Amino acid sequence: MLRLYTYFRSSAAYRVRIALNLKGLAYEAVPVHLLRDGGQQNRPAYRALSPLGTVPALETEGKVITQSLAIIEYLD
């Protein structure tokens, strides 16, 4: 199962959501609010997943891909 860490106002995350939907791939969206609580992307648990604290991040098969264009290429 694909797990997408995303923020609703991120254009990069939006691009990945579009690609996932166009390809008809099922995924779990995990919200990461970039403003709430000083930025949820700065929490240690998220930084362990995405060291730079960026969204989107796609977790699949034990791998994590953190750049939107790299994620889209992986989906192709």
Side-chain angles (χ1 to χ4, degrees), residues 33-43:
H33 202 289
L34 301 182
L35 302 175
R36 186 175 298 146
D37 303 326
Q40 293 175 346
Q41 75 277 15
N42 295 318
R43 291 182 176 171

Side-chain angles (χ1 to χ4, degrees), residues 1-54:
M1 177 71 158
L2 299 171
R3 181 176 292 141
L4 178 65
Y5 295 86
T6 184
Y7 180 59
F8 72 102
R9 293 178 70 184
S10 165
S11 60
Y14 183 65
R15 178 182 358 203
V16 173
R17 290 192 308 268
I18 289 171
L20 286 163
N21 289 318
L22 285 174
K23 293 182 175 300
L25 298 172
Y27 66 97
E28 175 189 356
V30 179
V32 179
H33 202 289
L34 301 182
L35 302 175
R36 186 175 298 146
D37 303 326
Q40 293 175 346
Q41 75 277 15
N42 295 318
R43 291 182 176 171
Y46 188 72
R47 285 296 179 117
L49 185 75
S50 175
L52 296 177
T54 59

Side-chain angles (χ1 to χ4, degrees), residues 12-13 15-16 19 56 65-76:
R15 178 182 358 203
V16 173
I65 307 168
T66 58
Q67 297 292 320
S68 63
L69 292 178
I71 293 169
I72 293 169
E73 281 187 24
Y74 173 80
L75 295 174
D76 274 342

